Amino acid sequence: SSAVPELIKSISTREFNPEDIKPVIDGTEDIKDYITFDTKTLEGEKISSTVFGDYDLTLVNFWGTYAQDKSNEQADLEKVYETFASDNDHKVNVINAIVDTPDEKAENIAKELKQTASGNFTSIIMDETLATWATENLEGVPTTVLVDNTGKIVSDQIKGAKGADYYIDVINKYLAAK
């Protein structure tokens, strides 16, 4: 009991950092299979990968404004978002990660394109963790993945722009198999 005061002094706490929870299950899981971030939305609101916990499934689309002439999926992402917003059986989210941010010019282009598409889905600015993951794991953009409520990627990478109907079909197949 005389050591208790010393023990109490040695205990400290700190703010949650998603990088601290690199999942390992029997040594078979790898952090590359998880998406983590602590950043802000295109509109300036704080957001972290804990948002995945609010949904059964999240479609995460990696896209760059420099590719807007060849692949601008903003309207498709909005259609996917709207399709599942009214689904009472499944909670599905859509996140658009803009790979050439933070950058004021890219952010302005993304805002304009999202507004033109009447986008209600979430667009996020890349933080260092997410940018590193994208650099190490993506071959190009646009690339889309499905993520479960823990941030684990549960689909193959969908490379290239595919359209809303394609994404809706992939999501429905995943949810039906679950």
Side-chain angles (χ1 to χ4, degrees):
S1 68
S2 64
V4 170
E6 191 65 32
L7 174 65
I8 291 171
K9 289 181 189 176
S10 71
I11 297 172
S12 65
T13 62
R14 59 188 170 98
E15 192 169 319
F16 171 73
N17 178 356
E19 279 296 305
D20 292 340
I21 57 168
K22 296 182 179 181
V24 177
I25 302 170
D26 297 330
T28 60
E29 297 294 332
D30 190 344
I31 191 63
K32 70 180 173 117
D33 296 331
Y34 289 80
I35 293 180
T36 60
F37 55 83
D38 188 8
T39 187
K40 63 180 182 171
T41 66
L42 195 56
E43 295 76 25
E45 299 170 17
K46 291 185 71 63
I47 188 170
S48 73
S49 50
T50 59
V51 71
F52 295 137
D54 296 336
Y55 299 91
D56 300 318
L57 192 68
T58 300
L59 179 142
V60 181
N61 173 265
F62 292 88
W63 171 77
T65 61
Y66 53 83
Q68 67 178 314
D69 294 335
K70 294 181 181 176
S71 65
N72 176 12
E73 295 184 281
Q74 306 306 298
D76 292 321
L77 296 176
E78 181 59 21
K79 183 176 178 185
V80 173
Y81 178 82
E82 288 176 4
T83 297
F84 290 99
S86 61
D87 185 337
N88 294 325
D89 296 324
H90 303 100
K91 292 182 72 179
V92 177
N93 194 21
V94 174
I95 293 179
N96 178 227
I98 307 157
V99 299
D100 53 339
T101 59
D103 175 84
E104 185 176 348
K105 181 179 176 184
E107 290 173 33
N108 288 335
I109 291 169
K111 285 177 187 175
E112 182 179 317
L113 293 171
K114 185 176 177 181
Q115 183 177 20
T116 300
S118 300
N120 293 303
F121 56 88
T122 303
S123 296
I124 63 172
I125 306 298
M126 300 292 277
D127 68 356
E128 187 176 335
T129 302
L130 190 56
T132 299
W133 182 92
T135 302
E136 293 175 355
N137 294 285
L138 302 179
E139 293 178 15
V141 294
T143 298
T144 303
V145 294
L146 299 180
V147 177
D148 72 9
N149 62 354
T150 68
K152 182 177 182 177
I153 298 169
V154 295
S155 71
D156 291 332
Q157 291 186 15
I158 303 167
K159 299 174 184 175
K162 299 296 184 192
D165 292 337
Y166 181 89
Y167 295 131
I168 292 167
D169 186 53
V170 168
I171 291 168
N172 281 327
K173 285 179 181 174
Y174 175 84
L175 293 172
K178 191 174 175 194

